[in-house]
Amino acid sequence: AEVKESGFLEVELAGPLPEAPMVGGFVLDPADIPPLVTDIAAGIRYAARDDRVTGIFLDLQSPSASWASLDEIRMALLEFRETGKRCVAYSEGYTNATYYLASVCDEVLLAPSGIVTVIGLHAELTFYAGMFEKLGIQAEMLHVGDFKSAVEPYERTEPSESASAAMNYMLDGL
């Protein structure tokens, strides 16, 4: 992208954000190939070191990416912010994913007719011990120590205190 004397870099995130190059297929125009998540993050990190860039305008137009990809971009935005440069996010609608990216910015802007559907995160586990009991099945598992809850769904009807603490810790971190 062309960078003028000084100003904001516009980063538009829209549609699928691929993690790997497209394999196969036929593309008429190379400009139609979307940048990879790693390219986007590298560009943001480069802008952090470029004195001509005074800030980022993050235009979120319903990007579609994995949480790991979103985290890669978010980490690059955090590094950008650590340089003291401004970051402004704009969207016509925020979801968990787009707000996750925008939450790094100094300002989060919403279109006047926009909508926010941030519902938070939750986790749900299924426990089979009750069903096993009705079927006459007894699970025999070996485990050692706290926070080793992989087999709990087969032995219990609800999570242990340590499993609940681990799950809450993970969700709080996200």
Side-chain angles (χ1 to χ4, degrees):
E2 181 181 336
V3 180
K4 300 198 179 241
E5 191 65 33
S6 70
F8 273 62
L9 174 67
E10 182 175 351
V11 177
E12 181 183 302
L13 300 179
L17 303 178
E19 295 177 356
M22 184 173 69
V23 178
F26 184 72
V27 178
L28 291 174
D29 185 0
D32 292 338
I33 300 171
L36 301 178
V37 167
T38 52
D39 296 334
I40 295 167
I44 293 169
R45 289 183 175 102
Y46 183 82
R49 297 184 309 271
D50 191 331
D51 293 334
R52 297 172 295 174
V53 177
T54 58
I56 285 182
F57 180 77
L58 185 61
D59 187 1
L60 300 167
Q61 298 182 15
S62 302
S64 173
S66 68
W67 282 99
S69 292
L70 295 173
D71 192 52
E72 175 70 21
I73 295 169
R74 189 174 191 274
M75 288 298 168
L77 289 167
L78 276 171
E79 290 175 29
F80 182 88
R81 288 281 318 282
E82 287 173 358
T83 65
K85 297 179 181 184
R86 293 182 43 75
C87 183
V88 177
Y90 169 82
S91 184
E92 293 182 8
Y94 286 100
T95 62
N96 283 352
T98 53
Y99 191 74
Y100 178 65
L101 290 174
S103 67
V104 175
C105 296
D106 298 292
E107 292 181 60
V108 177
L109 307 175
L110 176 67
S113 61
I115 187 166
V116 177
T117 56
V118 176
I119 56 173
L121 300 173
H122 81 279
E124 191 172 302
L125 300 172
T126 303
F127 290 87
Y128 305 102
M131 176 188 70
F132 285 177
E133 185 178 325
K134 289 179 183 178
L135 295 173
I137 299 171
Q138 183 174 354
E140 292 184 20
M141 311 283 180
L142 298 174
H143 52 89
V144 177
D146 291 335
F147 301 103
K148 306 291 183 192
S149 59
V151 298
E152 283 189 6
Y154 306 103
E155 298 179 323
R156 302 175 58 98
T157 58
E158 60 185 26
S160 66
E161 212 173 289
S162 58
S164 289
M167 184 63 69
N168 285 330
Y169 180 80
M170 182 188 74
L171 291 173
D172 288 345
L174 292 173

